[in-house]
Amino acid sequence: MDTRDTAPQLTARAILLSLILTVALAAANAYLGLFAGMTVATAIPAAVISMGVLRLLGRSNILENNIVATGASAGSAIAAGTIFTIPALVIMGHWTKFDYWWVLAIAGLGGMLGVLFSVPLRRTLIIEQDLKFPEGVATAEVLKIGENPGPGLRALGFAAAAGAIFKTALSGLRLSPEAFTAAGFVGDRALAVFALNLSPALLGVGYIVGINIGSLMLSGGALSWWIFIPYYHGFLLDQDPALSARVAGAAAGDAAYMIWSAKIRYIGVGAMLIGGLWSLWTLRGSLLSGVRTGLALKGSGDRSVPHTERDLPMTAILAGIVLFVIPLFALYHAVVGHFGIALTMAVIMVIAGFVFSSVSGYMAGLVGSSNNPVSGITISTILFASLVLLAMLGPGSAVGPVAAILIGAVICNAAAIAGDNLQDLKAGQLVGATPWRQQVMLAVGALASAAVMAPVLNLLLEAYGIGTPARAGVTALPAPQATLMASVAGGIFGAGLPWNMVATGAVVGALVIALDAWLKRTGRSWRAPVLAVAVGIYLPLELSTPIFAGGLVAELATRWHRRRSPGADPEILKQNGLLFSAGLIAGEALIGVALAIPIVLSGDAEVLAVGEQLRPGQWAGVVALAAVGWWLFRTATAGARRAA
């Protein structure tokens, strides 16, 4: 028998450390997702922290560190599944705050279903199809070279401190505006806008997703802010008297934002819808394979199976699915008050949940969890559920959009956790871990993450506001995906969507899909996933520009390593840059949550602000952000520089 079968994995200290990291990373990613519309995988920073902490506590092994990373990574997945959907209930006015038990039930049960749905997919996607699972491979590499986690821990710690100080200076002390904006009218009709959010966390996001995704997001932003908005302002605004009256007399930047908010962002909605449907079509062949393989698997109790191949038994999987669906059916019935409709909702949730968990797992294997189009999957779910409920409840139903969001919220959490679980299982395969132990740890991490979501969301809602500012002087968290979900569900039931803009977005999405197909056919390494462009169209321009800048830093670091270490893997060589980026994200996001506390307690958005005479202005913020970008590049290339 493999000696690693008896090596400690699910130890008490590993579980405790994993839960601590899970809670912190879930809070950080909740803030990041509401702020930027993106979350990032957290297994790698969790693995580095684990190696440092467990070494201080005594002898540890690679499998114990892997368990910590597995559980902690659930924080980012549950945060994504929750903040992409559940805030829509507040945006729609159905809730005035986040009810603890409702959020725990939706996120927790959705996450548990995601774990169960992903178990029969492990053999198909990880072993038979041998997909890349980039974050899983990277986590395994970090764990394997973990004999000296010191440099990585230092990069992570310094970056977290830098991100925290930067966020405190801008959002707390108000030393500089949080965004640099330049806008003006060109002639009588045209307007021009450039915006850059002064966020180290967004630089870190850009570094992690890379130049390809960063460029596509900026391309979407350019389409939205440099083509569609100027065109609408110059040629179509006169046809919309209500919007024209609002825009009249506004500054150029404010006018552009009003047009984007009322009209142009729905082009992103259309592109996301067509992208989500296309994802389903392209993955149709892998779905039945996962079901067939899963039903034939032996479980963890079969001692003839090597421990590295033991999943949770299928009998437990099927029983768990039934057990978790019953309370979800009860929740749905409490909302709609009709047995048949609640049963229909539960059936849609189970079937779509497994299908979309399969899609999520496949996409995570292709492009990684950070790039996984979970929001596109959820939009497709909500669109389908809304159409079914529309036939049952009729147009104008007040409860219909709420019911569609609740279905989408469970599926979004399930899909996010499924993709994350398969990344972790890939890392476990490479280091010799036991799959069922990882699956248990991920379930524990999912429940722990779900347990802190409501308090964190309520704190952010009261301090900043979600969608609309909570008070004068604060910038609301835009929650782009949740706003989109609310718009789609409400629009289907008659609240109204600018369908001409949605149709335009569908055409844009189809063109991007055609471009990506051509790139694939010609063997190009550069690809054009439609959802990256759609998110760029949908987000404010100020969020896309720093993400592109971070991707540019990653590309420069990659080229640096290729010149100095030919034949080596530049992704491994620039690993400290990845950890530095994760630190920037964690530091800024956690301080963003912490700064909400004095704002809520005092009711004053500028409770920590210094006097006007002590504020150097926005150029100081731009220079400081450039310095952080240079520090990121130096960290990412430090190994090559020393070797030279």
Side-chain angles (χ1 to χ4, degrees), residues 3 93 124 228 253 289 295 298 436:
T3 57
T124 297
F228 294 138
S289 175
L295 293 174
K298 297 180 179 180
W436 74 262

Side-chain angles (χ1 to χ4, degrees), residues 264-273 484 501 505 533-535 537-538:
I264 301 304
R265 64 177 174 153
Y266 291 99
I267 296 176
V269 172
M272 285 186 183
L273 286 173
L484 170 63
M501 295 294 164
V533 179
V535 168
I537 295 172
Y538 191 78

Side-chain angles (χ1 to χ4, degrees), residues 47-67:
V48 173
I49 293 171
S50 173
M51 289 185 290
V53 172
L54 293 185
R55 176 171 294 188
L56 291 176
L57 296 177
R59 195 170 184 177
S60 65
N61 65 77
I62 191 171
L63 301 184
E64 194 177 22
N65 289 318
N66 180 61
I67 282 292

Side-chain angles (χ1 to χ4, degrees), residues 28-40 79-81 83-85 202 205 209 213 217 272 369-376 379 412 476-485 531-532 534-536 538-540 543-544 547:
N29 265 293
Y31 175 87
L32 179 67
L34 292 172
F35 170 46
M38 300 180 69
T39 58
V40 294
I83 59 93
F84 287 173
T85 53
L202 294 180
V205 170
V209 302
I213 298 299
M217 287 190 64
M272 285 186 183
S369 296
S370 297
N371 301 326
N372 198 352
V374 171
S375 57
I379 293 165
C412 191
L477 297 169
Q481 281 87 355
T483 304
L484 170 63
M485 308 303 173
L531 288 169
V535 168
Y538 191 78
L539 287 175
L543 302 183
S544 298
I547 291 174

Side-chain angles (χ1 to χ4, degrees), residues 319-609:
I321 291 172
V322 173
L323 180 65
F324 296 144
V325 167
I326 292 173
L328 286 170
F329 166 78
L331 289 177
Y332 293 157
H333 189 271
V335 172
V336 299
H338 188 285
F339 181 88
I341 295 175
L343 181 61
T344 301
M345 293 172 65
V347 171
I348 292 173
M349 184 271 299
V350 172
I351 296 174
F354 179 75
V355 170
F356 289 138
S357 293
S358 302
V359 173
S360 176
Y362 191 90
M363 293 302 292
L366 288 178
V367 299
S369 296
S370 297
N371 301 326
N372 198 352
V374 171
S375 57
I377 289 169
T378 309
I379 293 165
S380 302
T381 301
I382 289 176
L383 179 63
F384 174 73
S386 295
L387 293 173
V388 173
L389 292 169
L390 178 66
M392 302 180 74
L393 296 170
S397 170
V399 76
V402 174
I405 293 296
L406 289 175
I407 294 173
V410 174
I411 291 173
C412 191
N413 275 283
I417 278 289
D420 179 79
N421 191 14
L422 288 164
Q423 291 283 3
D424 296 326
L425 290 171
K426 178 63 176 181
Q429 178 205 30
L430 295 174
V431 300
T434 307
W436 74 262
R437 289 188 172 100
Q438 288 186 273
Q439 291 153 2
V440 168
M441 188 65 244
L442 191 73
V444 173
L447 287 177
S449 304
V452 301
M453 279 293 101
V456 170
L457 289 173
N458 278 322
L459 181 62
L460 297 174
L461 176 66
E462 292 184 42
Y464 305 113
I466 295 176
T468 56
R471 52 178 52 83
V474 300
T475 301
L477 297 169
Q481 281 87 355
T483 304
L484 170 63
M485 308 303 173
S487 299
V488 170
I492 295 294
F493 283 89
L497 278 177
W499 290 107
N500 57 335
M501 295 294 164
V502 175
T504 301
V507 172
V508 171
L511 292 173
V512 175
I513 289 169
L515 172 62
D516 188 53
W518 177 79
L519 291 171
K520 180 180 180 181
R521 189 171 60 252
T522 55
R524 307 296 176 89
S525 59
W526 190 277
R527 297 296 299 276
V530 61
L531 288 169
V533 179
V535 168
I537 295 172
Y538 191 78
L539 287 175
L541 180 64
E542 68 178 57
L543 302 183
S544 298
T545 44
I547 291 174
F548 169 75
L552 185 59
V553 172
E555 179 65 14
L556 293 174
T558 297
R559 295 187 179 191
W560 177 287
H561 285 296
R562 282 175 178 162
R563 287 196 305 268
R564 284 156 180 76
S565 304
D569 186 350
E571 296 303 315
I572 295 176
L573 292 176
K574 63 177 189 174
Q575 195 73 54
N576 281 344
L578 177 65
L579 294 172
F580 191 92
S581 298
L584 291 175
I585 293 167
E588 179 177 331
L590 289 173
I591 284 296
V593 175
L595 288 175
I597 297 173
I599 293 174
V600 171
L601 293 177
S602 67
D604 181 4
E606 298 202 2
V607 62
L608 301 176

Side-chain angles (χ1 to χ4, degrees), residues 74-86:
S76 59
I78 289 294
T82 301
I83 59 93
F84 287 173
T85 53
I86 292 179

